[in-house]
Amino acid sequence: MKKKLLSLAAGGALLALIAPAQAQFAKPEDAIKYRQSAFALIGNHMGRINGQLKAPTPNVQVIQSSAALIETLSKLPFEAFIAGSESGGNPPTRAKPEVFKDAAKVKSLTEKMQAEVGKLAAVAKGGDVNAIRAQFGEVGKSCKACHDDYRKD
Ligand code: HEC
């Protein structure tokens, strides 16, 4: 009985998450474009931080600004994995079909990445390049953890 209530509650929460998101995209292609765009921007700013970390004298302000943007951007792509957007898009979506089935796993990988990104923004404010480098590595791992299972090559 308890289990059934729980699963009902979880189903309700899921619907509450999905319904408004779906209403925000007129067609599945729009959702695909939205998440690809958000990821592309996240990737661009990860690249900028990486570039600074490789420079002889990293510009901490550039790192701080990109880290703050990534923290905001990291909230965007996941609402766009809506039902009906499993295929299609231009360029075609690289999301594996499992993204749309393993909701709990994808959510936990998403939250892990968001937590690491939040830490990166905080560490960047401190300005210690070695600490930033270490946390940047943790962010990278959290991206890869999802891509390994849920993104096509
Ligand atoms: C929970 C899973 C997940 C996490 C975490 C994740 N990604 Fe992705 N990423 C995806 C999926 C799925 C796609 C394919 C999206 C599509 O094509 O519809 C993608 C696509 C991308 C792309 C290609 C975008 C394009 O041009 O189409 C980049 C770049 C990217 N991710 C970077 C990152 C970075 C950097 C992080 C970490 C800060 C990250 N991702 C974290 C799942 C994830």
Side-chain angles (χ1 to χ4, degrees):
M1 183 59 199
K2 207 168 176 195
K3 235 182 174 168
K4 192 159 184 202
L5 272 178
L6 269 178
S7 82
L8 274 177
L14 199 65
L15 269 183
L17 274 178
I18 286 170
Q22 235 151 7
Q24 279 153 26
F25 303 106
K27 30 187 204 326
E29 290 73 36
D30 294 349
I32 295 172
K33 171 67 70 199
Y34 182 93
R35 67 197 187 218
Q36 288 174 335
S37 305
F39 278 126
L41 289 170
I42 293 170
N44 179 293
H45 285 280
M46 286 291 282
R48 292 190 203 192
I49 295 175
N50 193 33
Q52 288 305 324
L53 290 175
K54 288 193 168 138
T57 15
N59 182 328
V60 172
Q61 272 179 323
V62 169
I63 295 176
Q64 287 168 344
S65 142
S66 282
L69 282 168
I70 293 169
E71 189 177 17
T72 300
L73 291 165
S74 72
K75 299 178 182 129
L76 301 181
F78 304 97
E79 71 173 46
F81 287 107
I82 57 166
S85 69
E86 295 86 347
S87 61
N90 180 25
T93 180
R94 286 163 70 198
K96 289 191 181 166
E98 288 77 17
V99 172
F100 304 86
K101 293 174 193 145
D102 304 349
K105 180 110 191 288
V106 171
K107 185 165 184 277
S108 97
L109 287 165
T110 300
E111 286 170 354
K112 169 78 175 152
M113 181 273 275
Q114 289 166 337
E116 297 298 350
V117 161
K119 276 189 214 162
L120 178 65
V123 170
K125 281 188 196 145
D128 175 343
V129 173
N130 283 329
I132 295 171
R133 186 173 286 115
Q135 185 53 32
F136 184 73
E138 293 306 311
V139 172
K141 277 189 221 159
S142 72
C143 310
K144 187 171 181 295
C146 186
H147 293 162
D148 282 350
D149 286 343
Y150 293 107
R151 190 178 72 172
K152 295 176 198 162
D153 296 331

